[in-house]
Amino acid sequence: MTGYDRTDLLLLGNWSHTQIALFATLALGLCVLTWLDVRDLPRPRGPILVALRALALALALALLLEPALEQKDVSLVRNHVAVLVDVSESEALPTPDGRTRLDRARDAVAAMRLSPDDPEHEFEVIAFDDGGTPITPTALQTTPAAGQATHTLETLEQVASRLGPRALGGVVIVSDGIDNGALGSRVRRGDPLDAQTADALQRLGAPVHTIATGAADELRDIAVTAVDYDEFAFVRNVVAVSAELRVLGFRASDGDLDVTLSRDGAPLQTRRLSLVDGQRDYRVEFEFVPEQIGTEVYSVSTPVRPGEALSANNREWFVLRVIRDKIRALQVVGRPSWDVRFLRQLLQSNPNVDLINFFILRTQEDVQRGSERDLSLIPFPTEELFDQQLGSFDVVIFQNFDYGPYDMQRYLPRIRDYVRNGGGFVMIGGDRSFGAGGYGSTVIADLLPVTLPASRGADSIDLGSFRPTLTAAGRRHPITRVEFDPARNASVWDTLPVWNGTNRVLGPRDGAVVLATHPTLRGANGEPMPVIAVADVERGRTMAVTSDGTWRWSFDRVGRGEGSGPYSAFWNSAIRWLIRDPELNLIDVAIPDPVVELAPGATVDLPITVRVFEPDYTPAAGEHASVTISRRALDGADGDAAELVQQTSLDIDDGGRAALRLSIDTPGAYEVVADAPLADGTERRDREVFLVLPRSRELRDIEPRPDLLAALAEAGGGRAVGPHDAVGNLEFLPAQVEQVDRREVVELWSSPWTLALLALILGGEWSLRRRWGRL
């Protein structure tokens, strides 16, 4: 047994406790029977026989149990002490002494004097963010603070699971206390530690110490923490945007704070915020009225002040899609008619249309039998409609309206400018429309898709009945596609009720698209005269319907109980086309999602699709589209120029489509512009915007939480060390788990001397029994 510090008795026999107890009981019973048999013998013969029998049974029982001696060298296993060091991005923020929070963490670890030769504790440094990685104290000096999240509890569970049954002597958490995992979601600022977290710490069975690397009162920072808005807004309606700000370390004496709402990098509104001593959280409200539909990138920002810990959180970006609430339509009518009545009823029945209509029931030349006040329902608001409110309408309809008697000549240029700036204009036939209404010598003639005679004439109207004939463009154009199936659409047009009369026009103007023609009348160029035509006029669109007979399409069908399908489809599609409904654009850029998240060091492949059509909506096969992609930096200032990312030319396939994949490795506000000008130079352009945001939650809240660390230490039975406190001695559990370094088993039962002794005892008992007459 020399060299061993512990010896234990072992029983190598494979017997259960119950079986051993049974063997012992049998042996005891045999001893009792032996005593009963020899108790009448004179002393000391009886006791000698009983003793020999008991000794033999004990020796036999020992042989059955196979006793052995276990000799071993035993030493204590060092407890494991996990030192968790936060290496997330917030640890890279500066402190007032010019160093970072991670520098403080490194100093704290160095002050702990983690000796690899400690007899009772084995120290392991674990760098953690959203998980833990063991490193050496030396490697900690060069490990960057770049983690995108902080998951304290999850890392603790990971360490405990990895150790398994190994004893845990203690835990040290070195962090700024910011957690965006389970702990942060359970315990908000100012809340006590929840019971679930406290139970998890207590189950570790070891003290949990915390060392804070930052304090809230030493932080100077202004952050836009959240922006509340609706993802969809309505054009020409008030949009409300509210921003939440957190101001730390700045006082009222530092001056007011300007908060700016920007759109596509250009300031839109600025609110001045007065700081209040002791107040941290502020809310700023913005209201504005978008004038155009589409998707735009907005941001709420504050200027970066000297001494701020972080500048990236001074701006928050978001994407707002502006759509139409209702289509505002202005219908100006020269006199009542069936055509006027049916169109007014159709527009009024559409919940998406806000209709304003004016009927001119008399002119200044009409005989008046009463005063102006008695004869007028309301004065015709010429100035209000065509000067003040014209821009608020999406489409203007002139239906058999003669501008002459109402001093409208001076307002017609306003209508021209309205169309050029994006408005829709449609003129419908009648004896006061087109050339018959004297529009040939006005600026309106330059807008219409048909050319007009310069002056009124007796031949400006043809009263013959006819059925419009669709052109090749009309068979594809959404306005005249009253049925989706081309064959059925052609069949419907062949059976529509005839029109009774039409205004005469000279032909289509350059760039116009003729959708339907007169079957017999010819224009000045000898081609069939257009009766339905459309045109793009700079940013706006115009349409001409030279007859007032479309109402018959509804009247006849309703009379037969078939509904007003073609009539409703025609005019609803016409309105959508005139207001440039995005679904009817000649070019369209499609992006899957307006907001894309980008993980650090990763690349995102974003598919971009471009559709291009001719004015008659045939696919622009074989043409080319120029695509320009630019980026504005998220941390840039308002007014900074966008950086060109990519410019390429795409080939349009037979279906009118082209596609590219954009590899993105840099966050920013991106703009995609696709251009495919028509042969005559007319612009065909669309744009889309999207945001690429870093997938990091770490810097959304950079205020240290030493109070949370203190609560963890209290629940874990440890000590909380502040950012300016000396680390001192941290107590850990003493080593209690033993390990066997050397072991030897010496069997006692297998010796031949044991068997010989048993034989000798049994032989002696037999011999004495025979001599004493007990056999």
Side-chain angles (χ1 to χ4, degrees), residues 474-708:
R475 288 191 289 270
R476 292 181 294 266
H477 202 281
I479 292 179
T480 44
R481 195 167 57 212
V482 297
E483 291 285 348
F484 184 79
D485 180 70
R488 181 169 174 77
N489 185 63
S491 175
V492 169
W493 276 90
D494 290 341
T495 58
L496 286 174
V498 299
W499 290 353
N500 294 328
T502 180
N503 291 83
R504 297 289 296 265
V505 297
L506 301 180
R509 76 169 180 87
D510 291 342
V513 177
V514 178
L515 305 182
T517 60
H518 197 284
T520 59
L521 296 180
R522 294 290 186 269
N525 58 1
E527 298 293 328
M529 188 190 78
V531 294
I532 304 175
V534 294
D536 285 271
V537 181
E538 295 186 13
R539 295 172 56 191
R541 284 176 169 175
T542 62
M543 178 178 178
V545 180
T546 63
S547 175
D548 60 357
T550 57
W551 66 275
R552 294 183 178 275
W553 297 352
S554 176
F555 182 81
D556 288 5
R557 290 177 62 89
V558 171
R560 298 195 301 268
E562 298 177 1
S564 59
Y567 179 79
S568 299
F570 175 81
W571 279 113
N572 285 332
S573 296
I575 297 297
R576 290 178 60 201
W577 184 86
L578 286 165
I579 65 172
R580 291 188 179 272
D581 187 315
E583 294 185 3
L584 301 181
N585 281 351
L586 294 180
I587 186 170
D588 175 69
V589 176
I591 296 172
D593 198 322
V595 179
V596 179
E597 288 192 344
L598 181 66
T603 299
V604 174
D605 286 336
L606 185 71
I608 300 174
T609 304
V610 180
R611 295 187 310 160
V612 187
F613 299 95
E614 302 292 356
D616 62 358
Y617 284 86
T618 57
E623 296 189 19
H624 306 281
S626 174
V627 177
T628 302
I629 302 172
S630 57
R631 181 184 70 88
R632 186 177 294 110
L634 296 182
D635 57 355
D638 287 336
D640 286 355
E643 171 193 4
L644 179 63
V645 175
Q646 183 176 342
Q647 191 168 25
T648 186
S649 178
L650 301 179
D651 296 329
I652 311 302
D653 64 19
D654 293 342
R657 294 178 179 271
L660 64 87
R661 299 189 71 88
L662 177 65
S663 294
I664 302 172
D665 58 8
T666 307
Y670 286 77
E671 179 185 52
V672 181
V673 178
D675 286 291
L678 294 170
D680 61 0
T682 302
E683 181 182 83
R684 204 167 33 175
R685 168 178 287 192
D686 191 29
R687 67 182 289 272
E688 269 292 352
V689 296
F690 62 95
L691 280 175
V692 178
L693 302 177
R695 188 188 296 170
S696 172
R697 300 173 56 193
E698 183 63 22
L699 297 181
R700 294 182 182 178
D701 183 1
I702 64 172
E703 183 181 2
R705 298 188 64 181
D707 57 326
L708 178 59

Side-chain angles (χ1 to χ4, degrees), residues 51 61 107 140 183 213 252 287 346 434 560 614 640 646 681 699:
L61 183 61
D107 291 347
L140 178 63
L183 178 62
T213 60
E287 287 188 349
L346 175 68
F434 297 104
R560 298 195 301 268
E614 302 292 356
D640 286 355
Q646 183 176 342
L699 297 181

